[in-house]
Amino acid sequence: MSAPATRPPTAAPYARHFADRYDTWFGKPSVTSDTVALLARLAGAGSALELGVGTGRVALPLARRGVRVEGIDASPEMAAVLAAKPDGDRVPVTIADFTRPPRTGRSYDLVYLVAGTLFELDTQDDQLRCFRAAAQLTGEQGLFVLDAFVPEVLVAAPQEPDGQAVPTADGDRVVLHRSFDRAAQRYHSHYRITPGDGSPTVDLDVTFRYAGTGELDLMAHQAGLELRERYGDWSGTPFTDGCAYHVSVYRHAR
């Protein structure tokens, strides 16, 4: 028996403790612009729901384009940052586990999640439940959009022994180290963040359960969805052999 929709949501530790710095550390303006442009094209004049809306990095500019956007997130801290931003009141947020959204009877033209959020779900069952929730939340012509790394490419990529520098917005230094457990289909990201203002160094850990495009398409099929199109990034680059990243658009199966 599945858990009730009222199950208390659990936010990632970084969401609880670093909501006010999240955009500075991980917001990439060029990627955000491409993401918003593609989502706006897919949503048209309709409505959208972001799963894991966070601080509204994508939802707010999408709303400013005229899309009626709502969000679901497990973190009240992230939602508070969103609400405090200019136009934050344009994106209502429900605090909930987005794999078990409240049953309101509403549907959306577009349901989406970004920044690899699907892989933060801990198990295959959690990820499949996300697909099923998206299918329930979209109307007959609605779309479900997600982005993710291609694990075959990510796992095979050489790892820098000193880590990978992640560009930030305000001079903080962020260095990423990844490790992989291929048997468990997981990777672990360790971020060492040295604030530019002299504040103490922060160590931040996130674990992901990854899935290849074939497995994701099978989850979609089990949820009553099918692949409509797949891109190599949010700018709409064709998805070809060797792409390290994908943006996948699903629709209800015909």
Side-chain angles (χ1 to χ4, degrees):
M1 181 179 294
S2 62
T6 54
R7 171 180 171 176
T10 301
Y14 70 81
R16 294 197 302 271
H17 300 302
F18 304 111
D20 59 336
R21 304 297 297 278
Y22 182 83
D23 288 349
T24 298
W25 293 341
F26 301 114
K28 298 179 176 64
S30 61
V31 175
T32 299
S33 178
D34 289 341
T35 303
V36 171
L38 179 56
L39 292 173
R41 177 171 66 80
L42 294 172
S47 59
L49 175 69
E50 180 171 349
L51 307 180
V53 66
T55 61
R57 174 181 64 87
V58 170
L60 280 173
L62 185 60
R64 292 182 187 118
R65 284 182 173 237
V67 180
R68 300 185 303 279
V69 185
E70 297 180 23
I72 298 179
D73 204 278
S75 170
E77 295 83 1
M78 287 280 201
V81 172
L82 189 164
K85 290 180 176 180
D87 298 326
D89 58 349
R90 296 180 63 172
V91 181
V93 178
T94 299
I95 302 302
D97 173 354
F98 64 69
T99 72
R100 294 181 171 90
R103 296 183 179 276
T104 64
R106 297 188 58 190
S107 64
Y108 301 85
D109 299 297
L110 177 69
V111 173
Y112 68 92
L113 43 74
V114 299
T117 300
L118 182 73
F119 287 177
E120 290 192 49
L121 299 177
D122 196 49
T123 67
Q124 185 184 66
D125 284 344
D126 292 333
Q127 293 172 359
L128 176 57
R129 194 164 55 246
C130 179
F131 273 90
R132 287 176 170 156
Q136 293 168 1
L137 288 163
T138 49
E140 186 175 330
Q141 302 300 316
L143 302 174
F144 175 44
V145 184
L146 63 89
D147 64 351
F149 287 108
V150 177
E152 298 88 344
V153 177
L154 184 65
V155 170
Q159 299 300 307
E160 297 289 338
D162 296 326
Q164 173 188 348
V166 179
T168 63
D170 68 351
D172 292 352
R173 176 174 170 77
V174 177
V175 178
L176 165 63
H177 293 265
R178 281 199 184 101
S179 59
F180 297 89
D181 182 343
R182 293 168 176 80
Q185 235 173 281
R186 294 183 182 278
Y187 69 89
H188 177 84
S189 291
H190 175 83
Y191 298 90
R192 170 150 284 200
I193 302 164
T194 306
D197 62 6
S199 301
T201 295
V202 173
D203 288 293
L204 192 157
D205 296 282
V206 188
T207 298
F208 302 85
R209 190 268 173 188
Y210 62 77
T213 53
E215 184 180 352
L216 296 176
D217 291 350
L218 181 58
M219 290 185 199
H221 174 74
Q222 291 178 324
L225 302 171
E226 64 182 8
L227 184 70
R228 191 183 90 164
E229 54 201 0
R230 177 168 283 139
Y231 303 107
D233 57 31
W234 284 103
S235 71
T237 298
F239 182 75
T240 59
D241 183 37
C243 281
Y245 189 79
H246 68 93
V247 176
S248 296
V249 182
Y250 295 96
R251 65 184 178 187
H252 286 263
R254 300 298 192 252

